Amino acid sequence: MQRQVNHARMVCELADCLAKKGWLPATAGNLSVKVSENPLLFAITRSGADKQALTEQDVILVDEHQRVQGETSYRPSAETIVHVKLYEKFQCGSVLHVHTLYNNLVSQLYFERGSVRLSDHELLKALDHWEEGAFIEVPIVENYHNLEELGRAVEAAATPDVPGVLVRNHGIYVWGSTPEAAKRYLEAFEFLFQYHLMLRQYQSHV
Amino acid sequence: MQRQVNHARMVCELADCLAKKGWLPATAGNLSVKVSENPLLFAITRSGADKQALTEQDVILVDEHQRVQGETSYRPSAETIVHVKLYEKFQCGSVLHVHTLYNNLVSQLYFERGSVRLSDHELLKALDHWEEGAFIEVPIVENYHNLEELGRAVEAAATPDVPGVLVRNHGIYVWGSTPEAAKRYLEAFEFLFQYHLMLRQYQSHV
Amino acid sequence: MQRQVNHARMVCELADCLAKKGWLPATAGNLSVKVSENPLLFAITRSGADKQALTEQDVILVDEHQRVQGETSYRPSAETIVHVKLYEKFQCGSVLHVHTLYNNLVSQLYFERGSVRLSDHELLKALDHWEEGAFIEVPIVENYHNLEELGRAVEAAATPDVPGVLVRNHGIYVWGSTPEAAKRYLEAFEFLFQYHLMLRQYQSHV
Amino acid sequence: MQRQVNHARMVCELADCLAKKGWLPATAGNLSVKVSENPLLFAITRSGADKQALTEQDVILVDEHQRVQGETSYRPSAETIVHVKLYEKFQCGSVLHVHTLYNNLVSQLYFERGSVRLSDHELLKALDHWEEGAFIEVPIVENYHNLEELGRAVEAAATPDVPGVLVRNHGIYVWGSTPEAAKRYLEAFEFLFQYHLMLRQYQSHV
């Protein structure tokens, strides 16, 4: 099916771009692009694939019950449930989940607080906050061992205002209306997390 | 028009080079190359383009009133006004604006002081300061929400002696007589900002 | 021999991938892939090769006595003995040895303790620890000048539970059933080492 | 001349490799490969070239008096004198000079001491120190504004035992019998400088 192939290609291009930044180490992370809304179908990376060398065969079409569509010997990512929850809540077009040092550091250092506040920075515009004096709170949830529980926690914490949720010592889930929007949000979050921590560090030893 | 195509190509090459360094995250930043002086025409990145995959169609020709020349459905960068101000003040050939962690850190840590002093370093030669004992002060202006106000602030702070102005928690504007010169200045500034802060950090815990 | 050529290719692909991350500086590091179990034969990088530009001619076939198979003027890596010990102990399919700043820092900072504990992180799953509350201890051995002694120390410290051993101020040895598994383990270790130290640093100046 | 072309190519390959590491920012740095010993002729990067996009036309053949051989409108690097001094003292085959954050930090932090001591590390072997308990002292000289004076200072500080000299807030000069050896030494120095400072930092906040 022409349509499925194209979405697999889009997932591979996202993987290639994010892997080059070092955001998909050790086969971790999972990426998806929506194929249809009713019924919900989306193309997602298979479990265990090295995203630094992803091919279209590593991308699987699944439905809202995480059932694999078409012939494949691969299983979808174990965290497919979180993607389902986000597609259902926001009718978004793409969900990206990556592990970086800085999103992990923030997720642990601000876990007790429940969220990290990002403010006073130009890149908040890239997160669709163009108002003067903009600030956001990015929610942080526990890294539940049970993936259904993790999915519910991410879904409950996610709001339309901030297109991302951090999972403690795990990574970030980001969603957008298109793959391009999701990627832009992700890059903005990662810049702001790193900037937030580096500024805190430099201010501590003036 | 042959001429326009070439300038668009030059902007794409600058974008490609600077994006590979990670200096153009989340569609942020804007780059331009002058096409003619009288009347002022320059090729500039469109608003919202991913500079990590810029094409010539993402580069737009504009005049001194920020009016788009030729047929396109795209808008020029929202910060085109700052480019106009710099072209008018210095008759330069290229203006580059990027967001990096270190130019942001410096812009915040030294904002109250109004500028950051860079001294005692070989790379000041790359900023055209060949004199013995050279030092420069890079001005830092507020990140005004109103872009006309931002343009006036950058214009007012900019001097012929130092080819760059920092905007607080936003990034740096750099200009040069050619794209090559502007890129060399930018790389020198970024090295010196990072070196300045790292040296400060290492000296603090000897 | 078709078979040998393919294993040499696999070693080159590993080298290329790991060198791009900066993990094989200054001709350091050595990588091998098993060709046969009985008798033990494996393809390993030659001594002194620049792994940033490795070719199949830089990969040598050796047996359990470190004897070179086939015609070549090159010598196998000086640390081939460590690979032999790991192949013999675990019947694994690949052994990777790289030098990074963070595996070196960990190896020195926790040397007196004898191991570094990694816990409370999603990426432990990439090291095959899927249990809730998982933690591991990565052993650290002295960097013995005598390579036979080094081989025995790595062999003695290595356990089936944790696929890696650190050598003080030298690097890490990682093994896996396949080159893909060994690479996944290595990337997980490196992420976790860096995260462990960065978290410690950020927690120290809250 | 066939011979000259090949040496220019070798310089371009060195530039490409080192520029990709970020070690040649803002047109800084200069690289050379010896063409003949008697009389001394070497191929060196021209002044002002962007080493991130070096072509063979940017490489110039010069003699021991820094006189340009052949037709070119370019000038050789302003620091050619330092290369001459090192070729004359060591009869080496290549000289590399790069600017990195860490070689600059070390050059400033240990300037008063006159040298930085590197010890207790495997990578000293890559600097040809295979003895047990190996250590080296890398000399640091003032960044003299007069380049003849700088050349004499580097020459005076350079010893056969350690193939590099640091210049304060400027960079490192490294030499080797071949371009491959010089590149290996350079990569070993840079790893060891960064490791030395990072270890110092991490040990300070245990």
Side-chain angles (χ1 to χ4, degrees):
Chain A
M1 194 172 82
Q2 180 62 26
R3 194 139 181 219
Q4 184 182 348
V5 173
N6 287 348
H7 289 88
R9 177 93 315 261
M10 289 161 83
V11 171
C12 288
E13 286 169 5
L14 285 165
D16 188 53
C17 178
L18 302 179
K20 283 203 175 105
K21 299 178 197 289
W23 295 356
L24 294 163
T27 80
N30 34 78
L31 315 172
S32 73
V33 172
K34 189 170 69 180
V35 173
S36 70
E37 179 69 39
N38 277 305
L40 177 62
L41 289 174
F42 57 94
I44 189 166
T45 46
R46 73 169 175 90
S47 181
D50 185 350
K51 279 82 182 179
Q52 297 164 77
L54 205 74
T55 68
E56 294 188 25
Q57 283 68 47
D58 296 317
V59 182
I60 293 177
L61 190 66
V62 299
D63 70 7
E64 64 186 303
H65 304 293
Q66 307 182 57
R67 287 180 304 214
V68 176
Q69 313 291 303
E71 297 282 316
T72 177
S73 58
Y74 292 131
R75 288 177 303 113
S77 166
E79 292 167 34
T80 300
I81 181 66
V82 189
H83 293 245
V84 169
K85 297 285 190 192
L86 291 169
Y87 282 117
E88 289 184 340
K89 182 161 187 175
F90 297 112
Q91 289 78 50
C92 51
S94 181
V95 176
L96 308 178
H97 170 49
V98 304
H99 300 48
T100 70
L101 291 160
Y102 281 93
N103 70 32
N104 274 258
L105 288 166
V106 163
S107 76
Q108 174 66 21
L109 293 168
Y110 293 95
F111 177 69
E112 293 296 334
R113 188 176 177 281
S115 66
V116 58
R117 185 190 185 96
L118 303 174
S119 63
D120 191 22
H121 200 281
E122 179 69 12
L123 271 184
L124 290 165
K125 291 181 184 170
L127 292 164
D128 295 340
H129 284 265
W130 290 78
E131 66 274 18
E132 195 163 2
F135 66 91
I136 61 174
E137 295 277 349
V138 188
I140 306 170
V141 303
E142 181 54 279
N143 185 23
Y144 294 105
H145 194 249
N146 179 292
L147 293 176
E148 279 281 344
E149 201 172 353
L150 179 64
R152 283 194 301 271
V154 171
E155 180 190 23
T159 68
D161 202 43
V162 178
V165 171
L166 285 160
V167 182
R168 192 177 67 82
N169 281 340
H170 182 156
I172 193 169
Y173 280 93
V174 172
W175 59 93
S177 57
T178 62
E180 291 73 27
K183 176 173 171 283
R184 184 180 79 237
Y185 295 150
L186 179 57
E187 291 178 11
F189 277 127
E190 294 298 331
F191 185 99
L192 290 168
F193 292 149
Q194 186 163 357
Y195 183 60
H196 179 85
L197 290 185
M198 291 179 81
L199 185 60
R200 195 175 93 156
Q201 179 185 0
Y202 275 106
Q203 286 175 330
S204 77
H205 51 65
V206 170
Chain B
M1 193 170 84
Q2 181 63 26
R3 197 145 179 213
Q4 183 182 347
V5 172
N6 287 348
H7 289 88
R9 177 93 316 260
M10 290 161 82
V11 171
C12 289
E13 287 169 4
L14 285 165
D16 188 54
C17 178
L18 302 179
K20 283 204 175 102
K21 298 179 198 289
W23 294 357
L24 294 163
T27 78
N30 35 79
L31 315 171
S32 73
V33 172
K34 189 170 69 181
V35 173
S36 71
E37 179 68 40
N38 277 306
L40 177 63
L41 290 173
F42 58 94
I44 188 166
T45 46
R46 72 168 175 92
S47 181
D50 185 349
K51 279 81 183 180
Q52 297 164 76
L54 205 75
T55 68
E56 295 187 25
Q57 282 69 46
D58 296 316
V59 182
I60 294 178
L61 190 67
V62 299
D63 70 7
E64 64 186 305
H65 304 293
Q66 306 183 58
R67 288 180 304 214
V68 176
Q69 313 291 304
E71 297 281 316
T72 177
S73 58
Y74 291 131
R75 288 177 303 113
S77 166
E79 292 167 34
T80 300
I81 181 66
V82 189
H83 292 246
V84 170
K85 297 285 190 190
L86 291 169
Y87 283 118
E88 288 183 340
K89 181 161 188 175
F90 297 113
Q91 290 78 50
C92 52
S94 181
V95 176
L96 308 178
H97 169 49
V98 303
H99 299 47
T100 71
L101 292 160
Y102 281 93
N103 70 32
N104 274 258
L105 288 165
V106 163
S107 76
Q108 174 66 20
L109 294 168
Y110 292 95
F111 177 69
E112 293 297 333
R113 190 177 176 279
S115 66
V116 58
R117 185 189 185 97
L118 302 174
S119 63
D120 192 22
H121 200 281
E122 179 69 13
L123 270 184
L124 290 165
K125 291 181 185 170
L127 292 164
D128 295 340
H129 283 264
W130 289 78
E131 67 274 19
E132 195 164 3
F135 67 91
I136 62 173
E137 295 276 348
V138 187
I140 305 170
V141 302
E142 181 54 279
N143 185 24
Y144 294 105
H145 194 250
N146 179 293
L147 293 176
E148 279 282 343
E149 200 172 353
L150 179 64
R152 285 194 300 271
V154 171
E155 182 189 22
T159 67
D161 202 44
V162 178
V165 171
L166 286 160
V167 181
R168 191 177 68 82
N169 281 341
H170 181 155
I172 193 169
Y173 280 92
V174 172
W175 58 93
S177 57
T178 62
E180 292 73 28
K183 176 172 171 282
R184 184 180 79 238
Y185 294 150
L186 179 57
E187 291 178 12
F189 278 126
E190 295 298 331
F191 186 100
L192 289 168
F193 292 149
Q194 186 163 357
Y195 183 60
H196 179 85
L197 289 186
M198 291 180 81
L199 186 60
R200 194 175 93 156
Q201 178 184 2
Y202 275 106
Q203 285 175 330
S204 78
H205 51 65
V206 170
Chain C
M1 195 172 81
Q2 181 63 26
R3 193 139 181 216
Q4 182 182 349
V5 173
N6 287 349
H7 288 89
R9 177 93 317 258
M10 290 161 81
V11 171
C12 289
E13 286 169 4
L14 285 165
D16 188 53
C17 179
L18 302 178
K20 282 202 175 105
K21 299 179 198 288
W23 295 357
L24 294 163
T27 80
N30 34 78
L31 314 172
S32 73
V33 172
K34 190 170 68 181
V35 173
S36 71
E37 179 68 40
N38 277 305
L40 177 62
L41 290 173
F42 58 94
I44 189 167
T45 46
R46 73 170 175 90
S47 181
D50 185 351
K51 279 82 182 178
Q52 297 164 76
L54 205 75
T55 68
E56 294 188 25
Q57 283 69 47
D58 296 316
V59 183
I60 294 176
L61 190 67
V62 300
D63 70 7
E64 64 186 303
H65 304 294
Q66 307 183 57
R67 287 179 306 215
V68 175
Q69 313 291 302
E71 298 281 316
T72 177
S73 58
Y74 290 132
R75 287 176 304 112
S77 165
E79 292 165 35
T80 300
I81 180 67
V82 189
H83 292 246
V84 170
K85 296 285 190 191
L86 290 169
Y87 282 118
E88 289 183 339
K89 182 162 187 173
F90 297 112
Q91 290 77 51
C92 51
S94 182
V95 176
L96 307 178
H97 170 49
V98 304
H99 299 48
T100 71
L101 291 160
Y102 281 93
N103 71 31
N104 274 258
L105 288 166
V106 163
S107 77
Q108 175 65 21
L109 294 168
Y110 292 95
F111 177 69
E112 292 297 332
R113 189 176 176 282
S115 66
V116 59
R117 185 190 186 97
L118 303 173
S119 63
D120 191 23
H121 200 281
E122 179 69 13
L123 272 183
L124 290 165
K125 291 181 184 169
L127 292 164
D128 295 340
H129 283 264
W130 290 77
E131 67 274 18
E132 195 164 3
F135 66 91
I136 62 174
E137 296 276 348
V138 188
I140 306 169
V141 302
E142 181 55 279
N143 185 23
Y144 294 106
H145 194 248
N146 179 291
L147 293 176
E148 279 281 344
E149 200 171 355
L150 178 65
R152 284 193 301 271
V154 171
E155 181 190 22
T159 68
D161 202 44
V162 178
V165 171
L166 286 160
V167 182
R168 192 177 68 82
N169 281 340
H170 181 155
I172 193 169
Y173 279 92
V174 172
W175 58 93
S177 57
T178 62
E180 291 74 27
K183 176 172 171 284
R184 185 180 78 237
Y185 294 151
L186 179 57
E187 290 178 11
F189 278 126
E190 295 297 332
F191 185 99
L192 289 167
F193 292 149
Q194 185 164 357
Y195 183 60
H196 180 87
L197 289 186
M198 290 180 82
L199 185 60
R200 194 175 94 157
Q201 178 185 0
Y202 275 105
Q203 286 175 330
S204 77
H205 50 65
V206 169
Chain D
M1 193 172 84
Q2 181 62 27
R3 196 144 179 211
Q4 183 183 349
V5 172
N6 287 347
H7 288 88
R9 176 93 317 259
M10 290 162 82
V11 171
C12 288
E13 286 169 4
L14 285 165
D16 189 52
C17 179
L18 302 179
K20 282 203 176 104
K21 298 178 198 290
W23 294 357
L24 294 163
T27 79
N30 35 77
L31 314 172
S32 74
V33 173
K34 190 170 69 180
V35 173
S36 72
E37 180 66 40
N38 277 305
L40 177 62
L41 289 173
F42 57 94
I44 188 166
T45 46
R46 72 170 175 91
S47 181
D50 185 349
K51 279 82 184 179
Q52 297 165 76
L54 205 75
T55 68
E56 294 187 26
Q57 283 68 48
D58 296 316
V59 183
I60 294 177
L61 191 67
V62 299
D63 70 7
E64 65 186 304
H65 304 293
Q66 308 182 57
R67 287 179 306 213
V68 176
Q69 313 290 304
E71 297 282 315
T72 178
S73 57
Y74 291 132
R75 287 176 304 113
S77 166
E79 291 166 35
T80 299
I81 181 67
V82 188
H83 292 246
V84 170
K85 296 285 190 192
L86 291 168
Y87 282 117
E88 289 184 339
K89 182 162 187 173
F90 297 112
Q91 289 77 50
C92 52
S94 182
V95 176
L96 308 178
H97 170 50
V98 303
H99 299 47
T100 71
L101 291 160
Y102 281 93
N103 70 32
N104 274 259
L105 287 166
V106 163
S107 77
Q108 174 65 20
L109 294 168
Y110 292 95
F111 176 69
E112 293 297 333
R113 190 177 176 279
S115 66
V116 58
R117 185 191 186 96
L118 303 173
S119 63
D120 191 22
H121 201 281
E122 179 69 12
L123 271 183
L124 290 165
K125 291 181 184 170
L127 291 164
D128 294 341
H129 284 264
W130 290 77
E131 66 275 17
E132 196 164 2
F135 67 91
I136 62 174
E137 296 276 348
V138 188
I140 305 170
V141 302
E142 181 55 279
N143 185 23
Y144 294 105
H145 194 249
N146 179 292
L147 294 176
E148 279 281 344
E149 200 172 354
L150 179 64
R152 284 194 302 271
V154 171
E155 181 190 23
T159 68
D161 202 43
V162 178
V165 172
L166 286 159
V167 182
R168 192 177 68 81
N169 282 341
H170 181 154
I172 193 169
Y173 280 92
V174 172
W175 59 93
S177 58
T178 62
E180 292 74 26
K183 176 172 171 283
R184 184 179 79 238
Y185 294 150
L186 178 58
E187 291 178 11
F189 277 127
E190 294 298 332
F191 185 99
L192 290 168
F193 292 149
Q194 185 163 358
Y195 183 60
H196 179 87
L197 289 186
M198 289 180 83
L199 186 59
R200 194 174 93 155
Q201 178 185 0
Y202 275 106
Q203 286 175 330
S204 77
H205 51 65
V206 169

